[in-house]
């Protein structure tokens, strides 16, 4: 028979798991609304992928360029992992661990880099400004705060972190190949036509170093912060 203290602890555990479910569900909703709404605007030709001369690339080209943004890819990772956690707050698995840490360091760097380097590059208004805020500000805050509050932890090992770095390295390679073929680059600091390969490769290495550092910070916190969700209490 459970004691009053155990019963109270159990009710706290249940309440915490419910709150985690709601938080992750809202995070998924934020990402879904931001990405889908932004994609609709791009397909309508009223977002940032309109060329400087006012011309519109084909819809296929606009969609390809849209998914070529690191912001979009990191938000997709956040959305997927948040959806799984909304269904099961202590979800686990080898591949899922890799996707989860990629989502965390990817969306963190997305928020930091946009806020410090890219915020004034494009002047956005109306719906474009709203979707921009969702994917660059709200989603990063929701993802990081949700992890700090609800985990799941522990999940990050050195091997998990090393494997997760395949994605950002592959992203840099893809961006250079795509740019060489199309003469289009998603961000000013990877634009080879303006900076040359030496500077762009240096920037790419710097981005990956930043991602490693942020990932290592998450790994350190993963082992220092309390286990979350807490294990089920014995009856």
């Amino acid at each position: 028979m459970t004691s009053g203290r155990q019963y109270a602890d159990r009710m706290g555990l249940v309440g915490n798991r419910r709150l985690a479910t709601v938080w992750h569900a809202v995070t998924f909703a934020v990402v879904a609304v931001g990405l889908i709404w932004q994609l609709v605007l791009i397909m309508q030709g009223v977002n940032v992928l309109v060329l400087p001369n006012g011309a519109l690339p084909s819809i296929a080209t606009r969609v390809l360029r849209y998914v070529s943004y690191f912001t979009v890819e990191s938000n997709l990772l956040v959305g997927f992992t948040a959806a799984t956690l909304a269904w099961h707050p202590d979800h686990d698995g080898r591949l899922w661990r890799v996707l989860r840490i990629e989502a965390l360091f990817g969306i963190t760097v997305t928020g930091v880099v946009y806020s410090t380097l890219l915020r004034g590059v494009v002047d956005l208004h109306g719906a474009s400004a709203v979707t921009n805020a969702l994917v660059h500000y709200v989603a990063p805050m929701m993802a990081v705060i949700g992890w700090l509050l609800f985990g799941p932890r522990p999940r990050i090992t050195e091997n998990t972190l090393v494997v997760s770095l395949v994605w950002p390295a592959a992203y840099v390679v893809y961006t250079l190949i795509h740019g060489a073929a199309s003469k289009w680059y998603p961000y000013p600091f990877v634009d080879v036509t303006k900076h040359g390969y030496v500077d762009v490769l240096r920037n790419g290495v710097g981005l990956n170093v930043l991602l490693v550092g942020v990932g290592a910070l998450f790994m350190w916190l993963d082992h220092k912060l309390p286990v979350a969700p807490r294990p089920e209490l014995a009856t």
Side-chain angles (χ1 to χ4, degrees), residues 111-136:
V112 171
V113 170
Y114 184 83
S115 299
T116 57
L117 299 178
L118 301 173
R119 183 173 53 184
V121 172
V122 180
D123 187 21
L124 299 174
H125 303 279
S128 296
V130 174
T131 62
N132 183 71
L134 290 176
V135 300
H136 285 115

Side-chain angles (χ1 to χ4, degrees), residues 1 22 33 47 54-55 60 86 97 125 135-136 143 164 166 188 195 207 211 216:
M1 183 175 180
V22 172
V33 170
N47 211 329
R97 288 187 177 200
H125 303 279
V135 300
H136 285 115
S164 70
V166 171
H195 304 293
L207 173 64
L211 290 165

Side-chain angles (χ1 to χ4, degrees), residues 37-162:
W37 194 0
Q38 198 168 70
L39 179 59
V40 170
L41 293 173
I42 285 172
M43 295 179 71
Q44 292 175 340
V46 293
N47 211 329
V48 295
L49 293 181
V50 179
L51 298 178
N53 62 5
L56 279 177
S58 68
I59 289 181
T61 298
R62 276 177 273 159
V63 171
L64 176 60
R65 291 178 179 182
Y66 176 64
V67 298
S68 297
Y69 281 96
F70 189 84
T71 294
V72 173
E73 295 183 12
S74 60
N75 270 269
L76 286 171
L77 287 167
V78 168
F80 173 75
T81 54
T84 60
L85 291 173
W87 180 258
H88 200 280
D90 54 2
H91 188 81
D92 201 0
R94 289 184 180 181
L95 177 59
W96 188 87
R97 288 187 177 200
V98 172
L99 296 177
R100 178 63 167 165
I101 184 59
E102 287 176 340
L104 289 170
F105 67 56
I107 203 66
T108 301
V109 171
T110 290
V112 171
V113 170
Y114 184 83
S115 299
T116 57
L117 299 178
L118 301 173
R119 183 173 53 184
V121 172
V122 180
D123 187 21
L124 299 174
H125 303 279
S128 296
V130 174
T131 62
N132 183 71
L134 290 176
V135 300
H136 285 115
Y137 296 117
V138 183
M141 288 189 294
M142 292 288 294
V144 174
I145 293 173
W147 180 78
L148 290 172
L149 293 176
F150 309 113
R153 290 187 299 272
R155 291 290 188 275
I156 308 171
T157 64
E158 291 183 359
N159 183 64
T160 299
L161 181 58
V162 169

